[in-house]
Amino acid sequence: MRKQKIEGEDKTKDQLMDELADLRDQIATLKSSESERERAEDVLRGSEERLRRIFDHSNDAIFVIDPAQDEILDVNPRACSMLGYSREELLSMPISAIHPNEMPQLLAFAQSVLQQGKGWTNELTCQTKAHKTLPAEISASVIDIAGRTCMIAMIRDISERKRAEKALRDSENRLSRILESAMDAIITIDDEQRITLFNEAAEKVFSWPASEAIGQPFGRLLSDRLSKLLTEYIQASDEEDKAKRYLWVPEGLTARRADGEEFPIEGTLSQVEAAGQKLYTVILRDINQRKQAEEELNKLRLENVYLQEEVKTQHSFEEMVGQSPAIKKVLKAVETVAPTDASVLILGGTGTGKELVARAVHKLSGRGGKPLVKVNCAAIPAGLIESELFGHEKGAFTGALSRKLGRFELADTGTIFLDEIGDLPLELQVKLLRVLQEGEFERVGGTQTFKADVRIIAATNRDLAKAMEEGRFRADLYYRLNVFPVQIPSLHERKEDIPLLVRHFVMKHGTRLGKKIETIPKQAMRSLQAYSWPGNVRELENVIERAVIISQRSELELGEWISKPGGTPSGSGVPTLEQLEKKHIIEVLQLTGWRVSGEKGAAKLLGMKPTTLESRMKKLGVKREE
């Protein structure tokens, strides 16, 4: 029994120990639960703090609303700053007050969010306290607050985005207008060389509508050389070498129209990036059209130069001054031959006025309204005169950097005046004869034959008959030119015209120099008439111009230019025209203190360009003595 009692006590002890262990486990569990709860509360408090910081510092306006009551429950600072209200003002306002202009859209959006639990609207407008309308986008979701079904809405001001979108649309519209109004073909291709843009000019140049061109390989519009150049450029641009991002496509390459016709082009290649994709822009120009326009413009400019020279010089019958029988005979010949298209050969000494006669013939002819183009055959180097007469193609010779129109092309339907025709090289005389006979010529370096409807007036102070006998001038050309010869008398042969010429030149240069010369002394006039005038009318004009320059009063002063009435100037022998010209230039330079250009320079007084005067000074050896 004792043993049973002890066993019963041990069993009770074991039970007590088990119960104690269970109690300890329960206590430990209770302590652990308390710790977990405290940790959970800490996490919750931390989460609430983070959410509040997000709520308070969000760049979007955040509203907590009760849609059923149209009530704002909470707002963040951004909502206040965006709408211009204080927090208290917003909390006292219905949500509908923020969207007064779009209530149907707002109600439909709220209903959708309540049904689906969340939603987003692309654009609604909000009204600020200052009654300014803001475009905004809204995202919202449903939340439960103390058993109330509420919504949290985030409103983003998209004013800047709208302005950026408008600026982008405006920029795209401007770019589109530029592309469509451009005169050059503009094509954009991708890295597979397929066309992505084809402007209106490209449609015209390639004779291919953009609707058919877009998406097609660009290579079908390129010659082999140009296609190779484009491929090499695209490969090089992959190396990100900025120096190769822009490439000039020079002349000499061709493209193909949609029908396969090749045409010469020039243009540029450039690389751009759009949305991370490499694109290549090709700008091409049809050179045929440009060259034709340039040639026409160049021709018009050159014709304008000649017409301006006509206006400036005003050479016509008005400057062919004289009443002598010799000059009347010339004027009668001019009136007779001018209405015809016959070739005229003007013969006469230096300074007799051959160019005046040529201008008079042209002015009185049916071509008077067209250009009169002058060529001084003696002033142009032999190697260049063919180019001057007939033009040349690009690369025809060293220095021929571009195509040039010749004088015959410029004179088409007008008149060409070949001064000093006796100095024309023999090899050019053959080509000139062809123009006279057939009206045809080719440019230097070219094969195309051009037609020229040109009347030819030639002039020379040489004895062409003698030159023909000596083999220096072709007989067939001579007879072609000598259809209607006009012989200009020397001034020595018509001395009775000297008084008229003197008065004419005194008035002409007096007006130009701002001097009023009213009297010409009889002794001066007798001296002028007694002189032999080897330089003819040109020499007389130079003498009178100098006299006007040195005259200080209203009376013409000749100075010491002509000192002997016997027909020769002081000194031994008769001076040449160049000697007289050199002396005249030196005296004018001395008057101006050797100043060549400018308003008070010698060139201005002499009525010539400074470069022309410098050229004459160099030729005549005029130098200032130190």
Side-chain angles (χ1 to χ4, degrees), residues 362-575:
H362 171 71
K363 184 175 181 180
L364 294 177
S365 73
R367 301 170 184 259
K370 300 295 182 178
L372 170 63
V373 178
K374 176 185 174 183
V375 181
N376 190 329
C377 300
I380 304 173
L384 295 178
I385 191 166
E386 182 179 4
S387 170
E388 285 296 321
L389 289 175
F390 308 118
H392 64 248
E393 298 291 347
K394 179 181 177 182
F397 51 84
T398 303
L401 302 179
S402 61
R403 178 183 296 170
K404 177 182 177 180
L405 302 184
R407 302 295 178 92
F408 271 93
E409 284 183 81
L410 294 173
D412 191 28
T413 71
T415 305
I416 189 165
F417 175 45
L418 301 174
D419 198 9
E420 306 297 347
I421 188 68
D423 293 292
L424 190 68
L426 275 171
E427 59 271 19
L428 261 295
Q429 294 178 23
V430 179
K431 296 188 177 182
L432 178 59
L433 182 63
R434 181 189 175 196
V435 178
L436 281 168
Q437 291 176 335
E438 303 172 16
E440 295 180 347
F441 64 91
E442 287 90 29
R443 295 186 185 129
V444 178
T447 57
Q448 183 179 356
T449 299
F450 295 91
K451 290 280 188 180
D453 175 19
V454 178
R455 181 182 190 172
I456 294 181
I457 301 176
T460 183
N461 60 2
R462 296 180 182 273
D463 186 344
L464 290 187
K466 183 179 180 180
M468 181 178 60
E469 293 174 0
E470 295 174 352
R472 292 183 288 107
F473 203 86
R474 293 181 61 94
D476 46 6
L477 178 59
Y478 172 74
Y479 293 122
R480 273 284 182 176
L481 294 173
N482 199 34
V483 174
F484 194 95
V486 178
Q487 181 70 49
I488 311 297
S490 67
L491 186 56
H492 183 70
E493 296 175 291
R494 58 184 187 108
K495 285 193 173 183
E496 59 267 54
D497 289 334
I498 289 178
L500 292 174
L501 288 166
V502 170
R503 294 187 184 95
H504 172 75
F505 292 138
V506 166
M507 181 176 293
K508 173 183 175 181
H509 295 292
T511 301
R512 183 175 62 82
L513 296 171
K515 291 189 175 184
K516 190 174 183 181
I517 307 296
E518 299 176 345
T519 306
I520 302 174
K522 291 182 179 180
Q523 180 59 41
M525 188 65 77
R526 283 195 293 268
S527 297
L528 292 170
Q529 286 183 291
Y531 184 52
S532 61
W533 298 110
N536 293 296
V537 179
R538 185 182 298 158
E539 182 184 1
L540 174 62
E541 181 174 6
N542 289 342
V543 169
I544 298 306
E545 182 182 7
R546 174 187 176 278
V548 171
I549 291 172
I550 66 175
S551 297
Q552 301 299 316
R553 300 184 300 275
S554 62
E555 183 177 271
L556 185 69
E557 301 176 17
L558 288 180
E560 299 181 357
W561 190 268
I562 298 176
S563 58
K564 291 186 178 182
T568 60
S570 58
S572 59
V574 178

Side-chain angles (χ1 to χ4, degrees), residues 168-359:
L168 179 60
R169 285 194 302 272
D170 291 343
S171 176
E172 289 175 343
N173 288 336
R174 284 194 299 271
L175 178 60
S176 177
R177 288 195 294 270
I178 290 171
L179 289 174
E180 293 309 317
S181 64
M183 296 181 66
D184 294 334
I186 302 177
I187 306 100
T188 299
I189 59 175
D190 58 22
D191 52 6
E192 295 181 355
Q193 298 191 32
R194 291 191 174 274
I195 299 171
T196 61
L197 182 146
F198 207 71
N199 75 336
E200 186 174 334
E203 292 182 307
K204 295 177 181 178
V205 168
F206 291 98
S207 303
W208 202 19
S211 58
E212 296 180 12
I214 301 297
Q216 295 298 315
F218 186 45
R220 63 176 292 184
L221 300 178
L222 307 178
S223 65
D224 293 340
R225 286 182 60 202
L226 185 55
S227 179
K228 180 181 179 182
L229 179 67
L230 177 62
T231 301
E232 290 174 350
Y233 171 74
I234 292 176
Q235 291 174 350
S237 66
D238 290 337
E239 301 172 3
E240 298 295 330
D241 185 358
K242 293 185 177 180
K244 296 180 180 178
R245 288 204 171 187
Y246 302 93
L247 181 65
W248 170 251
V249 179
E251 291 184 26
L253 296 176
T254 59
R256 294 192 183 98
R257 305 191 204 280
D259 59 5
E261 176 195 355
E262 289 202 11
F263 61 97
I265 57 93
E266 66 179 16
T268 59
L269 300 175
S270 59
Q271 177 196 327
V272 294
E273 287 192 13
Q277 181 185 10
K278 280 188 179 180
L279 298 174
Y280 302 90
T281 299
V282 184
I283 302 177
L284 296 180
R285 181 174 301 168
D286 187 335
I287 292 180
N288 274 339
Q289 297 176 359
R290 191 197 73 184
K291 288 297 183 182
Q292 291 171 2
E294 286 179 351
E295 285 186 6
E296 186 63 26
L297 180 60
N298 188 43
K299 182 177 179 180
L300 291 174
R301 283 175 177 169
L302 290 174
E303 286 181 357
N304 187 47
V305 169
Y306 287 115
L307 290 175
Q308 287 179 0
E309 289 178 355
E310 291 283 319
V311 172
K312 288 179 181 178
T313 54
Q314 289 293 315
H315 289 313
S316 62
F317 269 15
E318 287 78 6
E319 286 208 11
M320 294 181 65
V321 178
Q323 294 294 329
S324 64
I327 199 65
K328 285 182 178 179
K329 182 179 179 181
V330 172
L331 298 180
K332 181 64 177 176
V334 169
E335 290 177 340
T336 301
V337 75
T340 73
D341 263 351
S343 298
V344 178
L345 179 61
I346 304 172
L347 305 168
T350 300
T352 54
K354 295 187 292 296
E355 185 175 342
L356 292 182
V357 174
R359 292 180 183 277

Side-chain angles (χ1 to χ4, degrees), residues 8-26:
E9 290 177 354
D10 290 340
K11 184 178 180 181
T12 302
K13 182 178 179 181
D14 290 339
Q15 289 175 344
L16 288 174
M17 291 299 291
D18 291 339
E19 291 175 359
L20 180 60
D22 290 339
L23 183 60
R24 287 175 178 171
D25 290 341
Q26 291 176 9

